[in-house]
Amino acid sequence: MAFFRNAKQSLGVILYNTRLSMSTYSRHGYSTWVTKGASHAQSTDAKASKTAYLYWVSRRFNSQAASSAEQMGLIKQLRERTSAPIKDVKAALVGCNWDLEAAQKELRKRGKVLAMKKSRTATEGLLALAQNEGKAAVIELNCETDFVARNEIFEYLALALAKQALLVENSSQQVPGVFSFGPECLEDLNINLDHPKISGETTIQNAVTEVAAMMGENIKLRRGFVMSASSHGVVSAYLHRCPQPGLGRIAGILSLEVEDEISQVDALQKVGSELAMHIVAAKPLFLTKEFVNSDVLNNEREILKSQAESTGKSQMAIEKMVEGRLRKYFEEVVFMEQKYFLNDSLSLKTILDNLSKEVGSPVKIGNFFRMEVGEGIQRLELSSTDEPVAQAV
């Protein structure tokens, strides 16, 4: 647009100069002291000269307009290829003498350097889920704003990383069937991307850096979880606030184990999905009361006792109050003590008993965990300890 304004200004200046030249002829009286025939000839020459000027200006204006349209087309193409800000796209093209391929290469170099320098806190993002038979993997990919979290390139990368996470093996064996891992487990793995704006084989670390350069934000692969079921079990998952299948902001995953050989997989998957949704809604921290940490339990007991003593009741009444409130606490944080969130007249024990009857064999929950985008990030900035997640047992 700036070019067109300049072109219009040039046209105006030339027309002004043309008029000035014609008026100069008039001021010097060239059309008054010559003969009538000569005056007519000079008038004809002046008109021809003016026509020539206008023709030359028109040719020049049209040529420059065509050149500007080509440049706008290149800017649009590079913008579509890279998703970079338009000012950076134009600067790269100008710096590379409007060579599209060279400008794209320059943008990638410049973007990667800037991406490596970004240190702003990334608390937004997505969880991505990938599953195969008997196994599920969830990763958390963080960015700075929910605007970038909704970008199709960011979503594509998150899903691609979740598929790669399925390849991670449990080396620590801390908890059989479920384990967590940090970004270092994936960063050096190769990944083959097939997206119009990001494609080819590269390492996961380079892929994350390249997307960060495109988006202009700090993007980080933060963590992941992998859960496996036994040969007589299934893994079920639920993602909350899901922009598309396999993506969300809160995840609930659990494994159901059948004592005998599985005969009704559909029934197990249906109840498993409902219980995964319950995990997201009810936020359990422990599977059973036996898994509640003794320090946590003692701390809760002290708080409840202090509250009860403030009532001024007898010691026996205080003990009963503490025990009653502890039962309430267990119902809040212990999975198997909770009421089903869709029907509080049913306990989870009742749901599992009914499922056991349906499949003809005892069914139990093997492992579970709940995961949410951004949880614990602020605390991690102040402490190097691991962030809290729901107990996996």
Side-chain angles (χ1 to χ4, degrees):
M1 293 302 293
F3 171 79
F4 284 114
R5 287 196 298 268
N6 292 337
K8 289 179 180 179
Q9 289 173 359
S10 300
L11 178 60
V13 169
I14 292 171
L15 290 175
Y16 173 77
N17 290 336
T18 301
R19 289 194 299 269
L20 186 63
S21 299
M22 297 303 297
S23 65
T24 302
Y25 278 104
S26 177
R27 284 199 307 269
H28 286 85
Y30 296 136
S31 62
T32 57
W33 60 271
V34 294
T35 63
K36 183 176 180 180
S39 176
H40 175 72
Q42 288 187 353
S43 175
T44 302
D45 290 343
K47 289 180 180 179
S49 177
K50 182 177 180 180
T51 301
Y53 267 117
L54 291 175
Y55 177 75
W56 176 79
V57 169
S58 176
R59 286 281 303 273
R60 182 180 177 187
F61 180 80
N62 290 335
S63 174
Q64 292 177 342
S67 177
S68 178
E70 291 175 2
Q71 292 175 359
M72 291 300 295
L74 290 173
I75 291 173
K76 182 179 178 181
Q77 288 183 53
L78 188 55
R79 168 78 170 154
E80 289 175 348
R81 286 190 186 186
T82 64
S83 295
I86 193 167
K87 64 177 183 179
D88 295 341
V89 168
K90 185 176 180 181
L93 284 167
V94 171
C96 296
N97 197 25
W98 298 95
D99 185 322
L100 186 62
E101 299 300 328
Q104 183 175 355
K105 187 175 181 180
E106 177 62 24
L107 269 179
R108 292 181 68 180
K109 287 181 180 179
R110 189 187 310 171
K112 287 181 178 181
V113 171
L114 293 175
M116 296 293 288
K117 294 180 179 180
K118 292 184 183 296
S119 59
R120 297 186 296 267
T121 303
T123 58
E124 294 293 331
L126 288 171
L127 303 180
L129 169 71
Q131 287 182 270
N132 58 24
E133 188 176 350
K135 191 175 183 181
V138 179
I139 62 96
E140 179 179 359
L141 186 65
N142 293 124
C143 57
E144 297 175 41
T145 64
D146 61 350
F147 176 78
V148 167
R150 296 192 301 269
N151 183 280
E152 61 166 338
I153 302 174
F154 185 88
E155 292 179 346
Y156 174 82
L157 178 62
L159 288 170
L161 295 180
K163 292 176 183 177
Q164 288 297 114
L166 281 174
L167 304 177
V168 177
E169 297 296 334
N170 187 0
S171 58
S172 63
Q173 296 294 331
Q174 295 175 352
V175 180
V178 61
F179 65 98
S180 62
F181 59 88
E184 65 279 356
C185 292
L186 292 180
E187 287 177 339
D188 294 331
L189 295 179
N190 285 340
I191 185 171
N192 194 7
L193 301 172
D194 185 17
H195 186 276
K197 296 182 180 179
I198 176 172
S199 60
E201 186 173 347
T202 184
T203 65
I204 287 178
Q205 185 174 17
N206 286 341
V208 172
T209 301
E210 186 165 344
V211 172
M214 289 181 178
M215 301 295 105
E217 286 194 7
N218 186 19
I219 293 177
K220 288 185 177 180
L221 171 62
R222 183 186 175 200
R223 55 177 175 163
F225 282 85
V226 175
M227 180 179 290
S228 301
S230 68
S231 58
H232 292 174
V234 297
V235 175
S236 298
Y238 170 74
L239 285 168
H240 187 58
R241 296 175 64 182
C242 183
Q244 64 168 290
L247 297 173
R249 287 186 57 84
I250 310 174
I253 301 182
L254 81 160
S255 63
L256 292 176
E257 306 290 345
V258 184
E259 189 172 296
D260 299 324
E261 187 175 349
I262 299 176
S263 60
Q264 298 190 41
V265 177
D266 291 343
L268 287 170
Q269 289 287 13
K270 179 178 180 296
V271 174
S273 297
E274 293 171 349
L275 294 179
M277 190 184 301
H278 174 91
I279 291 170
V280 169
K283 304 179 182 180
L285 296 176
F286 310 96
L287 181 59
T288 65
K289 290 189 289 186
E290 290 72 25
F291 286 99
V292 179
N293 185 284
S294 59
D295 292 336
V296 172
L297 186 58
N298 291 335
N299 183 58
E300 189 67 23
R301 189 184 293 275
E302 286 297 321
I303 293 173
L304 296 176
K305 185 177 180 181
S306 176
Q307 292 174 349
E309 287 175 344
S310 65
T311 63
K313 296 183 178 180
S314 65
Q315 189 63 31
M316 184 177 295
I318 289 173
E319 290 297 328
K320 289 183 179 180
M321 290 174 66
V322 170
E323 292 304 316
R325 291 177 181 178
L326 270 179
R327 284 194 297 271
K328 182 66 175 175
Y329 171 74
F330 287 140
E331 290 177 2
E332 292 176 354
V333 301
V334 177
F335 197 178
M336 296 306 298
E337 301 296 322
Q338 291 179 335
K339 302 292 185 182
Y340 184 40
F341 85 111
L342 287 178
N343 184 355
D344 57 11
S345 66
L346 292 175
S347 67
L348 295 186
K349 288 181 180 179
T350 302
I351 291 176
L352 288 178
D353 289 341
N354 293 339
L355 179 60
S356 298
K357 293 176 183 178
E358 184 176 355
V359 301
S361 180
V363 180
K364 67 176 183 178
I365 296 174
N367 300 296
F368 84 93
F369 70 84
R370 182 184 187 276
M371 190 172 172
E372 187 168 353
V373 170
E375 61 184 351
I377 287 181
Q378 297 298 327
R379 193 176 72 84
L380 280 174
E381 292 179 350
L382 303 175
S383 170
S384 60
T385 58
D386 292 335
E387 68 270 25
V389 294
Q391 277 286 344
V393 297

